[in-house]
Structures are given as C-alpha cells and as structure tokens.
Amino acid sequence: MVVIDGGPLTREQVVAVVRDHAPVEVGDAALAEVTKTREHVERLAEATTPTYGVSTGFGALATRHIPLDRRAALQRSLIRSHAAGAGDPVEPEVVRGLMLLRLRTLATGRTGVRPAIVDTLTGLLNAGITPVVHEYGSLGCSGDLAPLSAVALALMGEGDVTVDGAVHSAKDALYEAGIAPLELAEKEGLALINGTDGMLGMLVLALHDLHRLLDVADLTAAMSVEALLGTDRVFAPELQALRPHPGQAVSAARMTALLSGSAIVASHRGPHCNRVQDAYSLRCAPQVHGAARDTVAYVETVADRELAAAIDNPVVLPDGRVESNGNFHGAPVAYPLDFLAIPVADVASMAERRTDRMLDANRSHGLPPFLADDPGVDSGHMIAQYTQAAIVSEMKRLAVPASVDSIPSSAMQEDHVSMGWSAARKLRTSIDGLTTVLAIELLTAARALDLRAPLTPAPATGAAVAALRRAVPGPGPDRHLAPEIAAAEALIRSGELP
C-alpha cells in the first residue's frame, strides 16, 4: 500500500504503483486539507469578483467572466475540448504514472478540488482502469494538457479505457468497478490537467530502468574485455582515484569484480604479452559508463524535487488566496530528460564498437570471423551488429534535445513551451534501444567466451553466460538470432544478471 499524505512520493513508490500495481490510499490528513481548501474555492465561486480558473475562461479566454449557471458546462467543455490528442496510445505504465502524480498534487490541497475528485481518481488506479492517452497533444507547458484531459474524461465516464489490456468505454468500466462518474465543479477541470505529471512519470521510470541498464553495460563491457583478451589493470582503484568522479569509480569497481578470477584474463597477463594498450571502447568503459551514472545522479535530484511539488495554475494557498503562477512550465523536467538521452546514446555507441571488434578477425585475437560456426556458410553475428548500428544511429538523432525548441500556442498567450513530453517520449525510445544494443553485446560476448574454451571465464561473467544459455538456444549453423535477441532483452529486464 502506498499512502499519499500530501507530501512527496519517492521514486520507488511511483514504480511500485505504476509497474507493480501496488494499491493507493489517500491519508485522512490529506483529505482534510483538500476539504479545507475547497471551502475557499466555493466562497470565491459565489463572489461577484471574477477569479481566474474559478469563474473565468482559460488561457487566452481568461478575461471572460462565466455566469454561475454555466460553470459546470465550462468544466465539462474544458475537458472535452482539451482531450484532443492524436497518434498511437501510449503505454499503460505512462498513463498510470501521470494518474498517480496528478493524484499526489490534488492531495496536497493546493488545487481546490473536492475530495470526490481525489477518491474517484484513486478508485481508477486501484481498479486497474487506465484511460487511453494518445502520443501527441502535449507541449510540456500549462501542463500535459491533452494527456491529462484524456484521464479527466474517463473520470467523467467518457472516452475509452483499458482494463487488463482490453479496450472498454469508460462508462462501462466505471460501472463494472462500482465507481460513479464525476460531474466537475468550479476549478476542478483545470486542476485535473494543469501539471507536468506525464513527463515526470516517464522521467522516474527512465531512472529506474537506467539503474539496471548501466549495471548491465558494466557486465557486457567486462565480458567483451575478457573475450577480446583485454586487461583489467586499467580498472584498478589507484588509477581511478586520479580522476575522482563517483560514477567512474563505481563502474571500474564493478568491472574489476566481474573479471576477478578469470582464467582468460590470467592467460595473457605478464611479460610475455606483447600488447601495450586496449582500444578505447574497452579501456575507457568506466569513464563513459561512470559519466552516465553521474548524469543519472543529477537527474535524480531534479526528479525528487518535482515529486515534492504541487503543480497547478492557479493554486490555492493555505491562507485562501488563489494565485496565478508559472510552475506548470516543464523546463525543469524537460532539460534532464534531454540530458539523459545523451549518455544513453553514448553508452550504446561504445557497446556497438566492442561488438564490432569481437566480430572482426583482424582485431579479435583469434576468434573466427563474425563468431560463425562455418564462416562463409554461416554469417554468425554479422547482421546482429547491423541491428546494433542501426539502433545506435537512431539514438544519436534522438539525443538532439527537444527542449531547445518552442512553438507558440493559445493565441500567443502560451508563447514559450518546454516540449518536455516530447523529450520524455524520445528518451523512452532510446532506453528501449539501449536494451537491445546491450542484449546483442551480451549474446556476442557470451559466444566469444565459449569460443575461448578450454580457458574459463570469471565466475561472474560465467554466471552471465549460464543465465543466457538457459534463456536462449545454443549455438549452431541454423541460428535464428531475432528470438535470441528478444530472449536476451527479457533476461536484462528480469534483473537476473550479475
């Protein structure tokens, strides 16, 4: 159970709810604050003086005062008009993320909604009812408007949702779950859609994935060093201490531990070895992986601050004032999303270079061309490396920042936007790409280590080879690599590797 008490959520709690479907409960103190704040809004709704978001239109239409008998229609119309996304549906975990994070902000009591809004959104999450949200429609400013409007539409019993992967009408799904559709009151439509919850949710999920993937990158790099008869001396702590970046030290220590006890590494250690230096893709792996780790560490600080934020416009302050603000602007989240795409692409690029080296008989120190059983008849891993190269090339394009762009909207009222949602979407694509690139390096390095027999790999890298062997078919002249790559990806996602 994840209890939302009006304070910050942790990244771990977000993942638990979004991916593991942990149940959610809003605490009594948070509900009391929501109730108290709603009383301020209702007083303003009855006043003759217009208040933005309560008794006026929105955006470029904020100067129009809306009469009392038209305000329910205003809220309903706001959601219907803003639920204008297009493109393919985004992943259910992304939708659950933006639902949870919007719920957390509503529970702070700074948005002015009724407790019924909080209860209904909690009910949808716990019932596994996930609104259909489309790819395009957010500019990352004034909130993730179209995505969050699709969620608000479902709360009203309109639009489509998924339950256990099947598409249903929201009306039918709410009825089956015993949840009454909402009729929105003053301020509530705006409060449901004016946040950066979609991009923040994707950022938290990306950070969770990258912790695993950077560990895997250290493993596949160590396996490639071993398979290519490289040295582990360059990862020694006294050398890493000369450049005291924390991420670099972690990656170097991991690679040293992974290679400990390797008969393959020991076989070419000593004065008889005529090699002076390994290629950069081997020797400098801790520097690149470590820089990626340090970028992740910085981005975690941003994510944690956002997980403590109450994003809405206008906001209701504890003393009852309703104030406009600019906290909905997505730049603080958009920049880190773009930052992460750079090291993700670079880690993948380095992995592809190591893979290519293992396939080239001129550089692999005795391995057969393309690691083929019968070179010429069998192409081995040749085209698997092509797949890596194609993905890495795409990832380099995806590393171009979205947040340097801006396109004005809402009759120039919203004349600068963050494009943070777009930054988040391309980062998710890049993380999928990194997973595939590392899966191919894992397969290739494991095959190369098998070919170094009778020399044995380190216990840790040998355990990785054994785990992979359990997951995919053994080598042979009729290998079908696409299922093997998919199985290696699944193994990486499972967390079963050293």
Side-chain angles (χ1 to χ4, degrees):
M1 176 72 71
V2 172
V3 177
I4 297 176
D5 59 7
L9 284 176
T10 66
R11 286 174 273 118
E12 292 76 16
Q13 287 175 314
V14 173
V15 173
V17 173
V18 169
R19 287 185 167 161
D20 302 330
H21 288 252
V24 173
E25 180 181 279
V26 178
D28 291 341
L31 286 172
E33 184 64 22
V34 169
T35 301
K36 177 182 175 182
T37 306
R38 181 64 195 177
E39 293 170 358
H40 295 308
V41 171
E42 290 177 353
R43 281 196 295 271
L44 290 169
E46 295 169 0
T48 56
T49 303
T51 300
Y52 174 66
V54 176
S55 53
T56 70
F58 311 115
L61 303 175
T63 57
R64 183 182 172 190
H65 181 247
I66 308 299
L68 187 62
D69 62 351
R70 296 296 294 154
R71 290 179 194 167
L74 167 68
Q75 302 300 318
R76 199 165 49 243
S77 174
L78 172 72
I79 299 305
R80 288 173 175 169
S81 67
H82 282 48
D88 293 333
V90 301
E91 304 82 2
E93 69 175 19
V94 171
V95 183
R96 285 182 61 81
L98 69 90
M99 291 169 72
L100 173 67
L101 295 174
R102 197 69 214 142
L103 174 62
R104 194 210 70 80
T105 286
L106 297 176
T108 64
R110 302 280 68 81
T111 68
V113 300
R114 293 167 295 156
I117 303 291
V118 172
D119 291 340
T120 304
L121 186 49
T122 303
L124 259 68
L125 272 170
N126 288 337
I129 298 172
T130 306
V132 174
V133 171
H134 295 279
E135 180 86 16
Y136 300 106
S138 174
L139 300 180
C141 206
S142 290
D144 290 317
L145 290 175
L148 282 164
S149 294
V151 173
L153 200 66
L155 296 176
M156 295 162 51
E158 301 181 21
D160 290 331
V161 299
T162 61
V163 182
D164 296 327
V167 178
H168 302 269
S169 73
K171 180 181 178 180
D172 290 344
L174 266 62
Y175 177 80
E176 289 294 325
I179 299 172
L182 288 168
E183 182 168 335
L184 303 180
E186 292 94 345
K187 179 69 172 64
E188 291 178 336
L190 198 58
L192 282 166
I193 66 175
N194 212 324
T196 53
D197 310 287
M199 65 182 88
L200 175 58
M202 286 187 272
L203 180 62
V204 171
L205 294 175
L207 290 169
H208 180 77
D209 291 338
L210 284 173
H211 274 284
R212 180 188 66 252
L213 289 173
L214 291 176
D215 282 349
V216 172
D218 291 338
L219 169 65
T220 59
M223 293 171 70
S224 295
V225 167
E226 196 173 20
L228 287 164
L229 306 183
T231 180
D232 60 350
R233 282 297 307 142
V234 294
F235 310 134
E238 62 269 26
L239 296 176
Q240 305 305 313
L242 298 174
R243 197 182 195 187
H245 292 289
Q248 177 179 323
V250 170
S251 285
R254 276 183 50 76
M255 292 183 68
T256 296
L258 289 163
L259 292 169
S260 177
S262 169
I264 298 174
V265 172
S267 71
H268 58 90
R269 183 182 284 140
H272 59 279
C273 181
N274 62 0
R275 293 173 57 197
V276 178
Q277 292 181 329
D278 291 330
Y280 287 8
S281 60
L282 307 178
R283 193 183 352 151
C284 302
Q287 284 74 17
V288 172
H289 298 179
R293 288 181 182 278
D294 290 342
T295 305
V296 165
Y298 161 70
V299 172
E300 285 174 341
T301 66
V302 176
D304 291 344
R305 291 181 198 133
E306 281 290 300
L307 288 169
I311 307 294
D312 195 13
N313 182 51
V315 291
V316 186
L317 296 172
D319 61 7
R321 284 180 294 140
V322 177
E323 297 280 4
S324 293
N325 67 93
N327 285 335
F328 51 75
H329 199 288
V333 183
Y335 297 161
L337 286 161
D338 278 333
F339 295 163
L340 284 177
I342 296 170
V344 166
D346 204 33
V347 169
S349 180
M350 184 174 254
E352 182 274 329
R353 288 293 78 208
R354 291 189 296 264
T355 302
D356 179 69
R357 186 168 287 271
M358 285 184 280
L359 303 183
D360 183 353
N362 294 316
R363 295 180 291 150
S364 67
H365 305 287
L367 295 171
F370 304 106
L371 307 186
D373 284 310
D374 185 0
V377 174
D378 174 10
S379 295
H381 285 215
M382 178 192 293
I383 306 304
Q385 183 269 328
Y386 279 35
T387 299
Q388 270 189 326
I391 292 169
V392 168
S393 182
E394 173 70 9
M395 290 173 72
K396 292 174 182 176
R397 291 191 290 274
L398 292 171
V400 175
S403 57
V404 298
D405 189 25
S406 177
I407 188 163
S409 57
S410 193
M412 290 299 287
Q413 175 73 5
E414 299 166 10
D415 59 352
H416 184 277
V417 296
S418 76
M419 304 307 297
W421 175 274
S422 299
R425 297 305 299 162
K426 69 184 182 65
L427 178 60
R428 285 180 67 83
T429 302
S430 290
I431 286 174
D432 285 343
L434 178 59
T435 304
T436 303
V437 168
L438 293 177
I440 292 171
E441 184 181 19
L442 178 66
L443 283 167
T444 303
R447 169 79 172 140
L449 289 174
D450 280 344
L451 291 169
R452 292 297 184 190
L455 292 173
T456 56
T461 57
V465 174
L468 189 60
R469 191 173 286 118
R470 291 190 296 270
V472 302
D478 300 317
R479 300 180 76 188
H480 185 185
L481 277 175
E484 294 191 10
I485 293 169
E489 290 175 343
L491 183 63
I492 288 171
R493 292 189 181 99
S494 73
E496 295 178 16
L497 291 169

